[in-house]
Amino acid sequence: MTRPDDHRYMARAIQLAQRGLYTTDPNPRVGCVIVRYGKVIGEGWHQRAGEPHAEIIALRKAGKRAQGATVYVTLEPCAHQGRTPPCAQALVQAGVRRVVAAMVDPNPLVFNKGLDLLHSAGIEVQKGPLQAQAEALNPGFILRMTRKRPFVRCKLAMSLDGRTAMACGDSKWITGPDARRDVQRLRARSSAIVTGIGTVLTDDPSMTVREEDIGERLPKGKAWRQPLRVVVDPHLSTPVDAKILRAPGKTIIATRAEEEYLAELLVAKDAEVIRFPGSGDAVDLHALMEFLAEREVNEVLLETGATLSGAALRAGLIDELLVYMAPILMGSDARGLFRLPGMERMDERFELEVLDLRTVGRDLRITARLKGDA
């Protein structure tokens, strides 16, 4: 049974979990609070894969006082041996009296097993307080575990008249510096950034996280993780001197081309060339997302032009849209947000549900999802 203080302490656990927003990948973001006689005696949050989980950190701080305490954790404690020992067993050994989990772990290796282990040891178990907030911390981890694909967030910048670039391809800069810093935070929380060959050829981007542009600092001794970069390049047209190949971190070229000599040129630049099914000028995006899930990619940031973003939209792969709208006009000859040829009737339109609307510097940021999506 939920108790009066459960939501308050779980809210604190969620605050702690948010500290791992940029660092825990591919693990979920988890926070933990240990309470005894109405006093917090231990707190923890998971920082990096391979390092102690939130429960272990909180138990270490609580020490012997954990016996008889209540533990609030944003995700069901693990019950299997992974990179670290099982947390559920550690809670049993510590002699805690009650464990409150905001949500069960969607990982089939854990799902309800951690809570069952606790219950069988005589520990009172409660689940559900602030479940929606806990789930919002880890949309990619949940989707990867339940549907075998990452969460795809499509970022777009447009003018007030819905244009993303001039007819010649010039797009620097549509949005202001505050919006661009905001995008750096999106990159930092993402497991992978996916772009198209058109963007590489036109803009020659690095697609990296730039600490100086974020306005936040990690704890001392911690470095920003560079997301995996993926170029959707059906015909292996990526130049060998492209910035995206020279930037720190790993780059994958997703292609359907069979030309080995072109692949070898890119491999020589430390790129990984992966062939996918597809047709014409298109790579099978469903196959690409399944591949990324197998690589433990939780969240994808799609930063690309109208062709690839339109293909992802039609494929039903965009879980969230983030549109930065600048107070400028670019004219009727400029390029649009999505390339969606063949739409002629209103019943063919894509309807969106706006989840959030806020100003970021001089620009407006619209967060939306396709209407009807869970």
Side-chain angles (χ1 to χ4, degrees), residues 13 86 116 179 228 252 270 276 355 360 374:
D116 288 345
L228 175 69
I252 288 177
D270 292 328
F276 292 91
L355 305 176
V360 180

Side-chain angles (χ1 to χ4, degrees), residues 25-27 29 83 138-153 189-194 225-230 250 252 288-302 319:
D25 197 78
N27 286 359
R29 298 135 186 159
R83 291 171 176 162
N138 296 295
F141 180 77
I142 294 171
L143 202 57
R144 178 164 68 86
M145 291 297 164
T146 57
R147 295 174 57 186
K148 307 301 181 186
R149 75 166 179 85
F151 182 91
V152 179
R153 184 178 286 112
R189 70 169 290 171
S190 300
S191 315
I193 300 172
V194 175
R225 174 187 54 83
Q226 290 296 336
L228 175 69
R229 297 181 298 273
V230 181
K250 185 73 175 177
I252 288 177
L288 172 59
M289 294 305 159
E290 290 173 5
F291 167 82
L292 292 177
E294 291 172 358
R295 288 287 183 98
E296 295 188 306
V297 167
N298 290 330
E299 297 182 22
V300 164
L301 182 61
L302 186 61
D319 300 293

Side-chain angles (χ1 to χ4, degrees), residues 83-98:
R83 291 171 176 162
T84 58
C87 294
Q89 189 61 50
L91 293 170
V92 171
Q93 291 172 352
V96 304
R97 180 179 58 85
R98 182 171 180 253

Side-chain angles (χ1 to χ4, degrees), residues 26-231:
N27 286 359
R29 298 135 186 159
V30 182
C32 179
V33 174
I34 302 178
V35 179
R36 188 179 183 190
Y37 300 131
K39 182 180 179 181
V40 174
I41 59 172
E43 292 185 337
W45 54 281
H46 182 48
Q47 298 183 26
R48 291 180 184 270
E51 295 184 5
H53 289 187
E55 300 96 317
I56 303 303
I57 295 172
L59 283 172
R60 288 174 179 172
K61 292 180 179 178
K64 293 181 179 180
R65 295 176 297 167
Q67 186 170 2
T70 297
V71 177
Y72 296 88
V73 61
T74 58
L75 185 70
E76 173 185 5
C78 62
H80 71 291
Q81 177 72 46
R83 291 171 176 162
T84 58
C87 294
Q89 189 61 50
L91 293 170
V92 171
Q93 291 172 352
V96 304
R97 180 179 58 85
R98 182 171 180 253
V99 173
V100 183
M103 60 176 288
V104 297
D105 193 327
N107 185 344
L109 294 173
V110 180
F111 187 75
N112 273 326
K113 293 183 178 67
L115 297 180
D116 288 345
L117 188 154
L118 295 169
H119 180 73
S120 65
I123 296 172
E124 182 185 345
V125 172
Q126 173 71 34
K127 58 184 177 183
L130 302 188
Q131 178 178 335
Q133 292 88 332
E135 290 174 345
L137 285 168
N138 296 295
F141 180 77
I142 294 171
L143 202 57
R144 178 164 68 86
M145 291 297 164
T146 57
R147 295 174 57 186
K148 307 301 181 186
R149 75 166 179 85
F151 182 91
V152 179
R153 184 178 286 112
C154 181
K155 186 278 296 183
L156 297 159
M158 72 174 189
S159 61
L160 191 61
D161 52 350
R163 305 297 173 173
T164 62
M166 303 306 291
C168 65
D170 184 17
S171 62
K172 293 185 177 180
W173 294 104
I174 293 175
T175 55
D178 292 294
R180 297 199 293 276
R181 276 192 292 271
D182 202 51
V183 171
Q184 286 295 312
R185 297 186 188 100
L186 287 176
R187 288 183 179 182
R189 70 169 290 171
S190 300
S191 315
I193 300 172
V194 175
T195 193
I197 183 59
T199 299
V200 171
L201 295 176
T202 301
D203 297 336
D204 194 19
S206 297
M207 294 294 184
T208 54
V209 174
R210 297 185 291 274
E211 180 178 357
E212 66 274 12
D213 291 342
I214 292 179
E216 296 184 31
R217 293 194 178 276
L218 293 177
K220 187 177 180 180
K222 303 294 184 182
W224 287 97
R225 174 187 54 83
Q226 290 296 336
L228 175 69
R229 297 181 298 273
V230 181
V231 181

Side-chain angles (χ1 to χ4, degrees), residues 319-323 352-356 366-370:
D319 300 293
E320 184 177 273
L321 274 168
L322 272 169
V323 181
L352 303 177
E353 177 186 357
V354 175
L355 305 176
D356 184 69
I366 304 166
T367 306
R369 67 184 176 196
L370 288 176

